[in-house]
Amino acid sequence: QVQLVESGGGLVQPGGSLRLSCAGSGRNFKIYGVGWYRQAPGKQRELVAAITSGGSTNYADSVKGRFTISRDNAKNTVYLQMNSLKLEDTAVYYCNGPSVLYKDWGQGTQVTVAS
């Protein structure tokens, strides 16, 4: 089983950028697909981006063209580059399995977009 830890959140102005990191442990990290999720206050958690072990990616319509998911297997890390951030991107962001969950949700990393 892979262990994942999120980091990189913060406060950013509308139109700004942030890069989130999802650090994995275990020798076989490269065989795992990873998804980035977010949960805004009062809303359900949603999958915003996912990457397979082979590097194929998928995005929610709300972030397509603004967010980019990538992975560096040498560093056991999956990234979420977020550009052109909007107020509605404010949420707690989590990484986990893209379909079958690898772990409990934990605290995630807070992203706040505010002017």
Side-chain angles (χ1 to χ4, degrees):
Q1 192 85 357
V2 66
Q3 299 297 316
L4 304 173
V5 179
E6 308 92 345
S7 64
L11 174 64
V12 63
Q13 292 186 338
S17 298
L18 277 176
R19 189 177 78 162
L20 305 183
S21 298
C22 175
S25 63
R27 298 187 325 185
N28 294 321
F29 176 80
K30 63 183 179 181
I31 72 172
Y32 290 93
V34 174
W36 276 102
Y37 299 76
R38 68 185 181 188
Q39 186 168 23
K43 295 189 177 181
Q44 289 191 331
R45 187 177 287 117
E46 63 172 339
L47 179 65
V48 296
I51 188 166
T52 68
S53 58
S56 297
T57 58
N58 279 294
Y59 299 92
D61 288 343
S62 58
V63 306
K64 203 170 291 184
R66 301 187 298 120
F67 289 13
T68 302
I69 189 171
S70 62
R71 66 189 303 153
D72 184 341
N73 290 332
K75 295 182 178 180
N76 277 11
T77 302
V78 170
Y79 302 101
L80 185 68
Q81 178 67 44
M82 306 185 295
N83 298 329
S84 302
L85 282 161
K86 304 177 180 180
L87 296 175
E88 54 263 41
D89 294 318
T90 295
V92 180
Y93 285 71
Y94 307 84
C95 60
N96 212 319
S99 52
V100 176
L101 299 181
Y102 301 145
K103 63 164 188 169
D104 294 335
W105 288 107
Q107 294 186 337
T109 186
Q110 175 70 48
V111 172
T112 302
V113 184
S115 54

